[in-house]
C-alpha cells in the first residue's frame, strides 16, 4: 500500500479483522512475492486469512480469552485459599458475592445432582463477563499499542474475544457436547432417542406413532441444534453490535465523541453483565434439561 | 469473521478453566464460606447466650443488693436498739451510783454530825465543869459528878 490514508471503510474493516496465524500454501502471491513453500505466518490481509482456511488461529481472541480466563482462575483461586481466615474484606467480598449468586442460581434452576454444573456456571459467568468487559476499553487503545509494539501499522488486533464467533461457538459447542454427553448418560441412548422422536406428537396407536417419528425428530432436532447456535449467536451478536457502535462513534471528531461514547458505554455496562448472566443461566437450564429423565 | 481452529482452542481453554474451577476454586470457596457461616452463627448464638447470662447476673446482683440493703437496715435498727439499751443501762447505773454516793455522803454527814455533837457535848461538859468550878471556887470531883455530867451532856 503506497498511500497510507485511513478511510472510514478501512478503519472499520481493520478493526473487525482478527490477528490470524495460519499456513499459507506454496505458490501464494504475497504482495508481489511468490511463496516458494507453505509457510506458517500472520495474515496481512483478509485474502490471506481466507487462503489459510480452517487450520488457522485468531491469536488475539485466543490470547485475550486465555489471559482473562487465567486472571479469573488466579484471583478466584487466591481468594478461595484464604477464604476461611476471619472476616472477608474488599475483593474477597466481591468474589463471595458472585459465588453465592451463582450457587443460588444453580440451586434454583438445576434440580439434579452434579458437581460439575456450579463450577461450570461460575466459570462461564465470570469469564464471559471479563471478555465482554474488554468492550469498554476504548476501541483504539490496545490495537494502537499493539501496532506500535509490533512496529507494523497494519497489525490486526481485536481485543474483545466475544466479538469473535469462534470464541462464542467454542463455548457453546462445548456446552452442546456436554448436553449430548449427559443426555445419553442420564437417559441412555434409547431414552435420548425416544426423547428426540416420540415428542411432541404422540399416539397410543403404534403405527401412528411410527408415522409421527420423522416429524417429531425434525422438530426436536432443530430444537436441539438451536441451543448451541442461539447461545453462541446471541452473545456474539450483542457484543459485535456494541463493538461496531463504538467503532462508528470513534469515527467522529474526537471532541464530540464523548457525547455518544459515554451514554453508550454506560448502557453497555448493562449489556456486558446481562449477556454474561444470560449465558450462564441458559447453560444451567440446558444442563438441567439434559439431566431430566422424564420430559 | 470466518470460522477456524480458534473454535477448538477456545473449547480446550473452556474445559481447562472449568476443570480448574471445579478442582481448586469452587469446593474451597464453598467450604470456606460454609465454615465461616457456621462460625458466625456460633458467634451470634454465643453473643445471645452472653447477653442472657449478663441479664441473669444483673438480676441476681439486684437481688443480692436488695438483700444486703435489708440486712444493713436490720443491723442498723438492731444497733440502734442496742444503743438505746446501753444508754438506758448506763442511765440506771448512773442513777444507782449517784444514789449510793448520796447515801454514803448522807451517812458520812450524819457521822460527822454525830461526831461533832459528841465533841460539842464533851466540850460543853468540860465547859460546864469549868463553869461550875469557877462558881464553886473549888475543884469539882469529876468522878463524883460524872453521873450528872453525863446526864447533862446527854440532854444536849
Amino acid at each position: 500500500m503506497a498511500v497510507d490514508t485511513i478511510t472510514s471503510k478501512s478503519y472499520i474493516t481493520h478493526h473487525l479483522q482478527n490477528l490470524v496465524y495460519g499456513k499459507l500454501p506454496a505458490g501464494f502471491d504475497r504482495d508481489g512475492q511468490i511463496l516458494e513453500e507453505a509457510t506458517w505466518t500472520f495474515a496481512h490481509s483478509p485474502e490471506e486469512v481466507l487462503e489459510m482456511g480452517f487450520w488457522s488461529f485468531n491469536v488475539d481472541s485466543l490470547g485475550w480469552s486465555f489471559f482473562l480466563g487465567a486472571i479469573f482462575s488466579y484471583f478466584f483461586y487466591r481468594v478461595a485459599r484464604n477464604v476461611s481466615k476471619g472476616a472477608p474484606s474488599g475483593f474477597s467480598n466481591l468474589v463471595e458475592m458472585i459465588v453465592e449468586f451463582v450457587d443460588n442460581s444453580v440451586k434454583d434452576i438445576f434440580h439434579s445432582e452434579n458437581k460439575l454444573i456450579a463450577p461450570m456456571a461460575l466459570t462461564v459467568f465470570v469469564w464471559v463477563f471479563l471478555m465482554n468487559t474488554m468492550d469498554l476499553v476504548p476501541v483504539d487503545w490496545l490495537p494502537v499499542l499493539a501496532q506500535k509494539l509490533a512496529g507494523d501499522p497494519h497489525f490486526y488486533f481485536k481485543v474483545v474475544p466475544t466479538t469473535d464467533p469462534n470464541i462464542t461457538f467454542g463455548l457453546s459447542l462445548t456446552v452442546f457436547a456436554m448436553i449430548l454427553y449427559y443426555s445419553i448418560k442420564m437417559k441412555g441412548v434409547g431414552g435420548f432417542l425416544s426423547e428426540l422422536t416420540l415428542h411432541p406428537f404422540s399416539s397410543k396407536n403404534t403405527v401412528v406413532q411410527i408415522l409421527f417419528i420423522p416429524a417429531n425428530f425434525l422438530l426436536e432436532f432443530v430444537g436441539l441444534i438451536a441451543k448451541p447456535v442461539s447461545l453462541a449467536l446471541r452473545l456474539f451478536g450483542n457484543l459485535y453490535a456494541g463493538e461496531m457502535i463504538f467503532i462508528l462513534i470513534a469515527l467522529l471528531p474526537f471532541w464530540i465523541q464523548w457525547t455518544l461514547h459515554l451514554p453508550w458505554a454506560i448502557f453497555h455496562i448493562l449489556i456486558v453483565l446481562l449477556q454474561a448472566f444470560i449465558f450462564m443461566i441458559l447453560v444451567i437450564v440446558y444442563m438441567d434439561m439434559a439431566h431430566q429423565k422424564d420430559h | 469473521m470466518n470460522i477456524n481452529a480458534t473454535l477448538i482452542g477456545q473449547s480446550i481453554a473452556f474445559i481447562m478453566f472449568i476443570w480448574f474451577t471445579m478442582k481448586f476454586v469452587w469446593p474451597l470457596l464453598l467450604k470456606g464460606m460454609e465454615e465461616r457461616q457456621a462460625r458466625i452463627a456460633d458467634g451470634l448464638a454465643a453473643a445471645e447466650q452472653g447477653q442472657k447470662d449478663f441479664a441473669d447476673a444483673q438480676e441476681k446482683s439486684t437481688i443480692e443488693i436488695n438483700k444486703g440493703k435489708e440486712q444493713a437496715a436490720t443491723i442498723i435498727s438492731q444497733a440502734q436498739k442496742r444503743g438505746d439499751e446501753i444508754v438506758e443501762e448506763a442511765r440506771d447505773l448512773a442513777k444507782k451510783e449517784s444514789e449510793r454516793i448520796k447515801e454514803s455522803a448522807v451517812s458520812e454527814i450524819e457521822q460527822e454530825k454525830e461526831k461533832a455533837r459528841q465533841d460539842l457535848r464533851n466540850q460543853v461538859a468540860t465547859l460546864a465543869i469549868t463553869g461550875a468550878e469557877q462558881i464553886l471556887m473549888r475543884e469539882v470531883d469529876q468522878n463524883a459528878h460524872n453521873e450528872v455530867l453525863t446526864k447533862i451532856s446527854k440532854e444536849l
Side-chain angles (χ1 to χ4, degrees), chain A residues 54 56 58 65 73 83 96 116 123 166 169-170, chain B residues 2-7 10-11 17 21-22 36:
Chain A
F54 180 78
S56 53
N58 296 350
S65 99
S73 302
V83 72
E96 285 179 23
L116 176 79
T123 311
N166 287 305
F169 271 107
Chain B
N2 53 331
I3 294 294
N4 59 26
T6 309
L7 196 77
Q10 178 69 5
S11 299
F17 286 130
T21 311
M22 190 170 81
R36 196 172 48 229

mmCIF file with all atom_site columns, all heavy atoms in Angstrom, chain A residues 54 56 58 65 73 83 96 116 123 166 169-170, chain B residues 2-7 10-11 17 21-22 36:
data_model
loop_
_atom_site.group_PDB
_atom_site.id
_atom_site.type_symbol
_atom_site.label_atom_id
_atom_site.label_alt_id
_atom_site.label_comp_id
_atom_site.label_asym_id
_atom_site.label_entity_id
_atom_site.label_seq_id
_atom_site.pdbx_PDB_ins_code
_atom_site.Cartn_x
_atom_site.Cartn_y
_atom_site.Cartn_z
_atom_site.occupancy
_atom_site.B_iso_or_equiv
_atom_site.pdbx_formal_charge
_atom_site.auth_seq_id
_atom_site.auth_comp_id
_atom_site.auth_asym_id
_atom_site.auth_atom_id
_atom_site.pdbx_PDB_model_num
ATOM 1   N N   . PHE A 1 54  ? -9.378  -23.452 7.476  1.00 0.00 ? 54  PHE A N   1
ATOM 2   C CA  . PHE A 1 54  ? -9.831  -23.738 8.831  1.00 0.00 ? 54  PHE A CA  1
ATOM 3   C C   . PHE A 1 54  ? -8.684  -23.816 9.827  1.00 0.00 ? 54  PHE A C   1
ATOM 4   O O   . PHE A 1 54  ? -8.797  -23.357 10.952 1.00 0.00 ? 54  PHE A O   1
ATOM 5   C CB  . PHE A 1 54  ? -10.610 -25.057 8.840  1.00 0.00 ? 54  PHE A CB  1
ATOM 6   C CG  . PHE A 1 54  ? -11.117 -25.416 10.213 1.00 0.00 ? 54  PHE A CG  1
ATOM 7   C CD1 . PHE A 1 54  ? -12.240 -24.798 10.738 1.00 0.00 ? 54  PHE A CD1 1
ATOM 8   C CD2 . PHE A 1 54  ? -10.445 -26.356 10.980 1.00 0.00 ? 54  PHE A CD2 1
ATOM 9   C CE1 . PHE A 1 54  ? -12.689 -25.126 12.007 1.00 0.00 ? 54  PHE A CE1 1
ATOM 10  C CE2 . PHE A 1 54  ? -10.896 -26.672 12.260 1.00 0.00 ? 54  PHE A CE2 1
ATOM 11  C CZ  . PHE A 1 54  ? -12.019 -26.054 12.771 1.00 0.00 ? 54  PHE A CZ  1
ATOM 12  N N   . SER A 1 56  ? -6.305  -22.333 11.085 1.00 0.00 ? 56  SER A N   1
ATOM 13  C CA  . SER A 1 56  ? -5.577  -21.116 11.460 1.00 0.00 ? 56  SER A CA  1
ATOM 14  C C   . SER A 1 56  ? -6.175  -20.632 12.769 1.00 0.00 ? 56  SER A C   1
ATOM 15  O O   . SER A 1 56  ? -7.268  -21.044 13.155 1.00 0.00 ? 56  SER A O   1
ATOM 16  C CB  . SER A 1 56  ? -5.733  -20.049 10.363 1.00 0.00 ? 56  SER A CB  1
ATOM 17  O OG  . SER A 1 56  ? -7.105  -19.865 10.085 1.00 0.00 ? 56  SER A OG  1
ATOM 18  N N   . ASN A 1 58  ? -7.061  -17.411 15.536 1.00 0.00 ? 58  ASN A N   1
ATOM 19  C CA  . ASN A 1 58  ? -7.173  -15.987 15.855 1.00 0.00 ? 58  ASN A CA  1
ATOM 20  C C   . ASN A 1 58  ? -6.380  -15.730 17.139 1.00 0.00 ? 58  ASN A C   1
ATOM 21  O O   . ASN A 1 58  ? -6.889  -15.905 18.239 1.00 0.00 ? 58  ASN A O   1
ATOM 22  C CB  . ASN A 1 58  ? -8.626  -15.588 16.060 1.00 0.00 ? 58  ASN A CB  1
ATOM 23  C CG  . ASN A 1 58  ? -9.427  -15.750 14.787 1.00 0.00 ? 58  ASN A CG  1
ATOM 24  O OD1 . ASN A 1 58  ? -8.867  -15.982 13.703 1.00 0.00 ? 58  ASN A OD1 1
ATOM 25  N ND2 . ASN A 1 58  ? -10.733 -15.649 14.897 1.00 0.00 ? 58  ASN A ND2 1
ATOM 26  N N   . SER A 1 65  ? -8.761  -14.208 25.503 1.00 0.00 ? 65  SER A N   1
ATOM 27  C CA  . SER A 1 65  ? -9.695  -15.054 26.248 1.00 0.00 ? 65  SER A CA  1
ATOM 28  C C   . SER A 1 65  ? -8.926  -15.905 27.247 1.00 0.00 ? 65  SER A C   1
ATOM 29  O O   . SER A 1 65  ? -9.350  -16.074 28.393 1.00 0.00 ? 65  SER A O   1
ATOM 30  C CB  . SER A 1 65  ? -10.531 -15.895 25.300 1.00 0.00 ? 65  SER A CB  1
ATOM 31  O OG  . SER A 1 65  ? -10.032 -17.190 25.179 1.00 0.00 ? 65  SER A OG  1
ATOM 32  N N   . SER A 1 73  ? -9.133  -17.355 37.020 1.00 0.00 ? 73  SER A N   1
ATOM 33  C CA  . SER A 1 73  ? -8.688  -18.512 37.807 1.00 0.00 ? 73  SER A CA  1
ATOM 34  C C   . SER A 1 73  ? -7.767  -18.080 38.934 1.00 0.00 ? 73  SER A C   1
ATOM 35  O O   . SER A 1 73  ? -7.916  -18.507 40.080 1.00 0.00 ? 73  SER A O   1
ATOM 36  C CB  . SER A 1 73  ? -7.948  -19.503 36.913 1.00 0.00 ? 73  SER A CB  1
ATOM 37  O OG  . SER A 1 73  ? -8.765  -19.915 35.872 1.00 0.00 ? 73  SER A OG  1
ATOM 38  N N   . VAL A 1 83  ? -9.995  -18.122 52.183 1.00 0.00 ? 83  VAL A N   1
ATOM 39  C CA  . VAL A 1 83  ? -11.372 -17.727 52.466 1.00 0.00 ? 83  VAL A CA  1
ATOM 40  C C   . VAL A 1 83  ? -11.774 -17.861 53.927 1.00 0.00 ? 83  VAL A C   1
ATOM 41  O O   . VAL A 1 83  ? -12.508 -17.039 54.446 1.00 0.00 ? 83  VAL A O   1
ATOM 42  C CB  . VAL A 1 83  ? -12.348 -18.500 51.555 1.00 0.00 ? 83  VAL A CB  1
ATOM 43  C CG1 . VAL A 1 83  ? -12.445 -19.933 51.977 1.00 0.00 ? 83  VAL A CG1 1
ATOM 44  C CG2 . VAL A 1 83  ? -13.714 -17.854 51.567 1.00 0.00 ? 83  VAL A CG2 1
ATOM 45  N N   . GLU A 1 96  ? -17.070 -13.664 46.916 1.00 0.00 ? 96  GLU A N   1
ATOM 46  C CA  . GLU A 1 96  ? -18.048 -14.491 47.624 1.00 0.00 ? 96  GLU A CA  1
ATOM 47  C C   . GLU A 1 96  ? -19.478 -14.139 47.220 1.00 0.00 ? 96  GLU A C   1
ATOM 48  O O   . GLU A 1 96  ? -20.341 -14.996 47.145 1.00 0.00 ? 96  GLU A O   1
ATOM 49  C CB  . GLU A 1 96  ? -17.857 -14.323 49.130 1.00 0.00 ? 96  GLU A CB  1
ATOM 50  C CG  . GLU A 1 96  ? -16.644 -15.081 49.588 1.00 0.00 ? 96  GLU A CG  1
ATOM 51  C CD  . GLU A 1 96  ? -16.398 -14.929 51.060 1.00 0.00 ? 96  GLU A CD  1
ATOM 52  O OE1 . GLU A 1 96  ? -17.358 -14.616 51.783 1.00 0.00 ? 96  GLU A OE1 1
ATOM 53  O OE2 . GLU A 1 96  ? -15.245 -15.108 51.472 1.00 0.00 ? 96  GLU A OE2 1
ATOM 54  N N   . LEU A 1 116 ? -20.414 -30.781 38.661 1.00 0.00 ? 116 LEU A N   1
ATOM 55  C CA  . LEU A 1 116 ? -19.752 -30.018 37.597 1.00 0.00 ? 116 LEU A CA  1
ATOM 56  C C   . LEU A 1 116 ? -20.477 -28.709 37.302 1.00 0.00 ? 116 LEU A C   1
ATOM 57  O O   . LEU A 1 116 ? -19.849 -27.726 36.913 1.00 0.00 ? 116 LEU A O   1
ATOM 58  C CB  . LEU A 1 116 ? -19.709 -30.882 36.330 1.00 0.00 ? 116 LEU A CB  1
ATOM 59  C CG  . LEU A 1 116 ? -19.132 -30.216 35.079 1.00 0.00 ? 116 LEU A CG  1
ATOM 60  C CD1 . LEU A 1 116 ? -17.620 -30.215 35.151 1.00 0.00 ? 116 LEU A CD1 1
ATOM 61  C CD2 . LEU A 1 116 ? -19.601 -30.921 33.825 1.00 0.00 ? 116 LEU A CD2 1
ATOM 62  N N   . THR A 1 123 ? -17.555 -20.355 36.061 1.00 0.00 ? 123 THR A N   1
ATOM 63  C CA  . THR A 1 123 ? -16.550 -20.090 35.032 1.00 0.00 ? 123 THR A CA  1
ATOM 64  C C   . THR A 1 123 ? -17.169 -19.311 33.880 1.00 0.00 ? 123 THR A C   1
ATOM 65  O O   . THR A 1 123 ? -16.634 -18.297 33.440 1.00 0.00 ? 123 THR A O   1
ATOM 66  C CB  . THR A 1 123 ? -15.963 -21.417 34.504 1.00 0.00 ? 123 THR A CB  1
ATOM 67  O OG1 . THR A 1 123 ? -15.597 -22.226 35.604 1.00 0.00 ? 123 THR A OG1 1
ATOM 68  C CG2 . THR A 1 123 ? -14.770 -21.168 33.621 1.00 0.00 ? 123 THR A CG2 1
ATOM 69  N N   . ASN A 1 166 ? -15.857 -17.399 16.714 1.00 0.00 ? 166 ASN A N   1
ATOM 70  C CA  . ASN A 1 166 ? -15.099 -18.604 17.064 1.00 0.00 ? 166 ASN A CA  1
ATOM 71  C C   . ASN A 1 166 ? -15.116 -18.836 18.569 1.00 0.00 ? 166 ASN A C   1
ATOM 72  O O   . ASN A 1 166 ? -15.198 -19.961 19.040 1.00 0.00 ? 166 ASN A O   1
ATOM 73  C CB  . ASN A 1 166 ? -13.651 -18.467 16.610 1.00 0.00 ? 166 ASN A CB  1
ATOM 74  C CG  . ASN A 1 166 ? -13.541 -18.600 15.114 1.00 0.00 ? 166 ASN A CG  1
ATOM 75  O OD1 . ASN A 1 166 ? -14.002 -19.594 14.555 1.00 0.00 ? 166 ASN A OD1 1
ATOM 76  N ND2 . ASN A 1 166 ? -12.979 -17.597 14.466 1.00 0.00 ? 166 ASN A ND2 1
ATOM 77  N N   . PHE A 1 169 ? -18.758 -19.682 19.725 1.00 0.00 ? 169 PHE A N   1
ATOM 78  C CA  . PHE A 1 169 ? -19.106 -21.053 19.317 1.00 0.00 ? 169 PHE A CA  1
ATOM 79  C C   . PHE A 1 169 ? -18.244 -22.071 20.043 1.00 0.00 ? 169 PHE A C   1
ATOM 80  O O   . PHE A 1 169 ? -18.683 -23.194 20.337 1.00 0.00 ? 169 PHE A O   1
ATOM 81  C CB  . PHE A 1 169 ? -18.988 -21.221 17.789 1.00 0.00 ? 169 PHE A CB  1
ATOM 82  C CG  . PHE A 1 169 ? -20.264 -20.890 17.078 1.00 0.00 ? 169 PHE A CG  1
ATOM 83  C CD1 . PHE A 1 169 ? -20.390 -19.726 16.342 1.00 0.00 ? 169 PHE A CD1 1
ATOM 84  C CD2 . PHE A 1 169 ? -21.342 -21.750 17.168 1.00 0.00 ? 169 PHE A CD2 1
ATOM 85  C CE1 . PHE A 1 169 ? -21.572 -19.419 15.698 1.00 0.00 ? 169 PHE A CE1 1
ATOM 86  C CE2 . PHE A 1 169 ? -22.529 -21.447 16.526 1.00 0.00 ? 169 PHE A CE2 1
ATOM 87  C CZ  . PHE A 1 169 ? -22.650 -20.279 15.782 1.00 0.00 ? 169 PHE A CZ  1
ATOM 88  N N   . GLY A 1 170 ? -17.020 -21.697 20.344 1.00 0.00 ? 170 GLY A N   1
ATOM 89  C CA  . GLY A 1 170 ? -16.165 -22.585 21.137 1.00 0.00 ? 170 GLY A CA  1
ATOM 90  C C   . GLY A 1 170 ? -16.809 -22.897 22.464 1.00 0.00 ? 170 GLY A C   1
ATOM 91  O O   . GLY A 1 170 ? -16.844 -24.047 22.913 1.00 0.00 ? 170 GLY A O   1
ATOM 92  N N   . ASN B 2 2   ? -14.303 -15.516 9.867  1.00 0.00 ? 2   ASN B N   1
ATOM 93  C CA  . ASN B 2 2   ? -14.530 -16.887 9.404  1.00 0.00 ? 2   ASN B CA  1
ATOM 94  C C   . ASN B 2 2   ? -14.271 -17.861 10.555 1.00 0.00 ? 2   ASN B C   1
ATOM 95  O O   . ASN B 2 2   ? -13.503 -17.572 11.469 1.00 0.00 ? 2   ASN B O   1
ATOM 96  C CB  . ASN B 2 2   ? -13.602 -17.198 8.241  1.00 0.00 ? 2   ASN B CB  1
ATOM 97  C CG  . ASN B 2 2   ? -12.187 -16.908 8.600  1.00 0.00 ? 2   ASN B CG  1
ATOM 98  O OD1 . ASN B 2 2   ? -11.940 -16.025 9.430  1.00 0.00 ? 2   ASN B OD1 1
ATOM 99  N ND2 . ASN B 2 2   ? -11.247 -17.643 8.033  1.00 0.00 ? 2   ASN B ND2 1
ATOM 100 N N   . ILE B 2 3   ? -14.951 -18.967 10.466 1.00 0.00 ? 3   ILE B N   1
ATOM 101 C CA  . ILE B 2 3   ? -14.769 -19.990 11.499 1.00 0.00 ? 3   ILE B CA  1
ATOM 102 C C   . ILE B 2 3   ? -13.466 -20.732 11.226 1.00 0.00 ? 3   ILE B C   1
ATOM 103 O O   . ILE B 2 3   ? -13.211 -21.176 10.114 1.00 0.00 ? 3   ILE B O   1
ATOM 104 C CB  . ILE B 2 3   ? -15.958 -20.972 11.473 1.00 0.00 ? 3   ILE B CB  1
ATOM 105 C CG1 . ILE B 2 3   ? -17.246 -20.251 11.879 1.00 0.00 ? 3   ILE B CG1 1
ATOM 106 C CG2 . ILE B 2 3   ? -15.686 -22.168 12.356 1.00 0.00 ? 3   ILE B CG2 1
ATOM 107 C CD1 . ILE B 2 3   ? -17.276 -19.772 13.305 1.00 0.00 ? 3   ILE B CD1 1
ATOM 108 N N   . ASN B 2 4   ? -12.638 -20.805 12.237 1.00 0.00 ? 4   ASN B N   1
ATOM 109 C CA  . ASN B 2 4   ? -11.404 -21.570 12.081 1.00 0.00 ? 4   ASN B CA  1
ATOM 110 C C   . ASN B 2 4   ? -11.055 -22.304 13.377 1.00 0.00 ? 4   ASN B C   1
ATOM 111 O O   . ASN B 2 4   ? -11.890 -22.419 14.276 1.00 0.00 ? 4   ASN B O   1
ATOM 112 C CB  . ASN B 2 4   ? -10.258 -20.659 11.617 1.00 0.00 ? 4   ASN B CB  1
ATOM 113 C CG  . ASN B 2 4   ? -9.998  -19.525 12.589 1.00 0.00 ? 4   ASN B CG  1
ATOM 114 O OD1 . ASN B 2 4   ? -10.285 -19.653 13.773 1.00 0.00 ? 4   ASN B OD1 1
ATOM 115 N ND2 . ASN B 2 4   ? -9.474  -18.432 12.091 1.00 0.00 ? 4   ASN B ND2 1
ATOM 116 N N   . ALA B 2 5   ? -9.849  -22.753 13.471 1.00 0.00 ? 5   ALA B N   1
ATOM 117 C CA  . ALA B 2 5   ? -9.465  -23.635 14.578 1.00 0.00 ? 5   ALA B CA  1
ATOM 118 C C   . ALA B 2 5   ? -9.466  -22.920 15.926 1.00 0.00 ? 5   ALA B C   1
ATOM 119 O O   . ALA B 2 5   ? -9.299  -23.568 16.970 1.00 0.00 ? 5   ALA B O   1
ATOM 120 C CB  . ALA B 2 5   ? -8.091  -24.230 14.312 1.00 0.00 ? 5   ALA B CB  1
ATOM 121 N N   . THR B 2 6   ? -9.651  -21.592 15.921 1.00 0.00 ? 6   THR B N   1
ATOM 122 C CA  . THR B 2 6   ? -9.796  -20.870 17.181 1.00 0.00 ? 6   THR B CA  1
ATOM 123 C C   . THR B 2 6   ? -10.869 -21.512 18.047 1.00 0.00 ? 6   THR B C   1
ATOM 124 O O   . THR B 2 6   ? -10.752 -21.597 19.267 1.00 0.00 ? 6   THR B O   1
ATOM 125 C CB  . THR B 2 6   ? -10.220 -19.418 16.883 1.00 0.00 ? 6   THR B CB  1
ATOM 126 O OG1 . THR B 2 6   ? -9.336  -18.884 15.920 1.00 0.00 ? 6   THR B OG1 1
ATOM 127 C CG2 . THR B 2 6   ? -10.199 -18.571 18.136 1.00 0.00 ? 6   THR B CG2 1
ATOM 128 N N   . LEU B 2 7   ? -11.918 -21.985 17.358 1.00 0.00 ? 7   LEU B N   1
ATOM 129 C CA  . LEU B 2 7   ? -13.022 -22.705 17.985 1.00 0.00 ? 7   LEU B CA  1
ATOM 130 C C   . LEU B 2 7   ? -12.518 -23.818 18.893 1.00 0.00 ? 7   LEU B C   1
ATOM 131 O O   . LEU B 2 7   ? -12.935 -23.943 20.048 1.00 0.00 ? 7   LEU B O   1
ATOM 132 C CB  . LEU B 2 7   ? -13.828 -23.305 16.834 1.00 0.00 ? 7   LEU B CB  1
ATOM 133 C CG  . LEU B 2 7   ? -15.217 -23.814 17.049 1.00 0.00 ? 7   LEU B CG  1
ATOM 134 C CD1 . LEU B 2 7   ? -16.140 -22.638 17.115 1.00 0.00 ? 7   LEU B CD1 1
ATOM 135 C CD2 . LEU B 2 7   ? -15.575 -24.680 15.851 1.00 0.00 ? 7   LEU B CD2 1
ATOM 136 N N   . GLN B 2 10  ? -10.496 -22.496 21.852 1.00 0.00 ? 10  GLN B N   1
ATOM 137 C CA  . GLN B 2 10  ? -11.379 -21.928 22.871 1.00 0.00 ? 10  GLN B CA  1
ATOM 138 C C   . GLN B 2 10  ? -12.057 -23.030 23.675 1.00 0.00 ? 10  GLN B C   1
ATOM 139 O O   . GLN B 2 10  ? -12.175 -22.933 24.890 1.00 0.00 ? 10  GLN B O   1
ATOM 140 C CB  . GLN B 2 10  ? -12.424 -21.029 22.189 1.00 0.00 ? 10  GLN B CB  1
ATOM 141 C CG  . GLN B 2 10  ? -13.437 -20.424 23.138 1.00 0.00 ? 10  GLN B CG  1
ATOM 142 C CD  . GLN B 2 10  ? -12.833 -19.393 24.070 1.00 0.00 ? 10  GLN B CD  1
ATOM 143 O OE1 . GLN B 2 10  ? -11.666 -19.056 23.955 1.00 0.00 ? 10  GLN B OE1 1
ATOM 144 N NE2 . GLN B 2 10  ? -13.623 -18.913 25.017 1.00 0.00 ? 10  GLN B NE2 1
ATOM 145 N N   . SER B 2 11  ? -12.480 -24.092 22.981 1.00 0.00 ? 11  SER B N   1
ATOM 146 C CA  . SER B 2 11  ? -13.119 -25.208 23.682 1.00 0.00 ? 11  SER B CA  1
ATOM 147 C C   . SER B 2 11  ? -12.151 -25.816 24.687 1.00 0.00 ? 11  SER B C   1
ATOM 148 O O   . SER B 2 11  ? -12.529 -26.120 25.826 1.00 0.00 ? 11  SER B O   1
ATOM 149 C CB  . SER B 2 11  ? -13.561 -26.277 22.691 1.00 0.00 ? 11  SER B CB  1
ATOM 150 O OG  . SER B 2 11  ? -14.488 -25.730 21.798 1.00 0.00 ? 11  SER B OG  1
ATOM 151 N N   . PHE B 2 17  ? -10.486 -24.370 32.105 1.00 0.00 ? 17  PHE B N   1
ATOM 152 C CA  . PHE B 2 17  ? -10.891 -23.436 33.176 1.00 0.00 ? 17  PHE B CA  1
ATOM 153 C C   . PHE B 2 17  ? -12.007 -24.046 34.030 1.00 0.00 ? 17  PHE B C   1
ATOM 154 O O   . PHE B 2 17  ? -12.024 -23.869 35.241 1.00 0.00 ? 17  PHE B O   1
ATOM 155 C CB  . PHE B 2 17  ? -11.330 -22.091 32.592 1.00 0.00 ? 17  PHE B CB  1
ATOM 156 C CG  . PHE B 2 17  ? -10.180 -21.271 32.106 1.00 0.00 ? 17  PHE B CG  1
ATOM 157 C CD1 . PHE B 2 17  ? -10.181 -20.713 30.847 1.00 0.00 ? 17  PHE B CD1 1
ATOM 158 C CD2 . PHE B 2 17  ? -9.066  -21.068 32.928 1.00 0.00 ? 17  PHE B CD2 1
ATOM 159 C CE1 . PHE B 2 17  ? -9.101  -19.952 30.406 1.00 0.00 ? 17  PHE B CE1 1
ATOM 160 C CE2 . PHE B 2 17  ? -7.991  -20.311 32.491 1.00 0.00 ? 17  PHE B CE2 1
ATOM 161 C CZ  . PHE B 2 17  ? -8.002  -19.761 31.225 1.00 0.00 ? 17  PHE B CZ  1
ATOM 162 N N   . THR B 2 21  ? -11.638 -24.633 37.961 1.00 0.00 ? 21  THR B N   1
ATOM 163 C CA  . THR B 2 21  ? -12.620 -24.085 38.913 1.00 0.00 ? 21  THR B CA  1
ATOM 164 C C   . THR B 2 21  ? -13.234 -25.198 39.754 1.00 0.00 ? 21  THR B C   1
ATOM 165 O O   . THR B 2 21  ? -13.395 -25.068 40.965 1.00 0.00 ? 21  THR B O   1
ATOM 166 C CB  . THR B 2 21  ? -13.738 -23.353 38.155 1.00 0.00 ? 21  THR B CB  1
ATOM 167 O OG1 . THR B 2 21  ? -13.142 -22.476 37.217 1.00 0.00 ? 21  THR B OG1 1
ATOM 168 C CG2 . THR B 2 21  ? -14.613 -22.568 39.095 1.00 0.00 ? 21  THR B CG2 1
ATOM 169 N N   . MET B 2 22  ? -13.560 -26.310 39.078 1.00 0.00 ? 22  MET B N   1
ATOM 170 C CA  . MET B 2 22  ? -14.205 -27.414 39.786 1.00 0.00 ? 22  MET B CA  1
ATOM 171 C C   . MET B 2 22  ? -13.250 -28.022 40.802 1.00 0.00 ? 22  MET B C   1
ATOM 172 O O   . MET B 2 22  ? -13.655 -28.436 41.884 1.00 0.00 ? 22  MET B O   1
ATOM 173 C CB  . MET B 2 22  ? -14.625 -28.464 38.768 1.00 0.00 ? 22  MET B CB  1
ATOM 174 C CG  . MET B 2 22  ? -15.505 -29.530 39.343 1.00 0.00 ? 22  MET B CG  1
ATOM 175 S SD  . MET B 2 22  ? -16.202 -30.550 38.050 1.00 0.00 ? 22  MET B SD  1
ATOM 176 C CE  . MET B 2 22  ? -14.876 -31.655 37.713 1.00 0.00 ? 22  MET B CE  1
ATOM 177 N N   . ARG B 2 36  ? -17.343 -20.387 57.617 1.00 0.00 ? 36  ARG B N   1
ATOM 178 C CA  . ARG B 2 36  ? -17.482 -19.082 58.232 1.00 0.00 ? 36  ARG B CA  1
ATOM 179 C C   . ARG B 2 36  ? -18.930 -18.825 58.653 1.00 0.00 ? 36  ARG B C   1
ATOM 180 O O   . ARG B 2 36  ? -19.188 -18.255 59.696 1.00 0.00 ? 36  ARG B O   1
ATOM 181 C CB  . ARG B 2 36  ? -17.005 -17.987 57.301 1.00 0.00 ? 36  ARG B CB  1
ATOM 182 C CG  . ARG B 2 36  ? -16.784 -16.711 58.101 1.00 0.00 ? 36  ARG B CG  1
ATOM 183 C CD  . ARG B 2 36  ? -16.145 -15.622 57.323 1.00 0.00 ? 36  ARG B CD  1
ATOM 184 N NE  . ARG B 2 36  ? -16.800 -15.465 56.073 1.00 0.00 ? 36  ARG B NE  1
ATOM 185 C CZ  . ARG B 2 36  ? -16.172 -15.400 54.923 1.00 0.00 ? 36  ARG B CZ  1
ATOM 186 N NH1 . ARG B 2 36  ? -14.872 -15.475 54.889 1.00 0.00 ? 36  ARG B NH1 1
ATOM 187 N NH2 . ARG B 2 36  ? -16.818 -15.245 53.816 1.00 0.00 ? 36  ARG B NH2 1
#
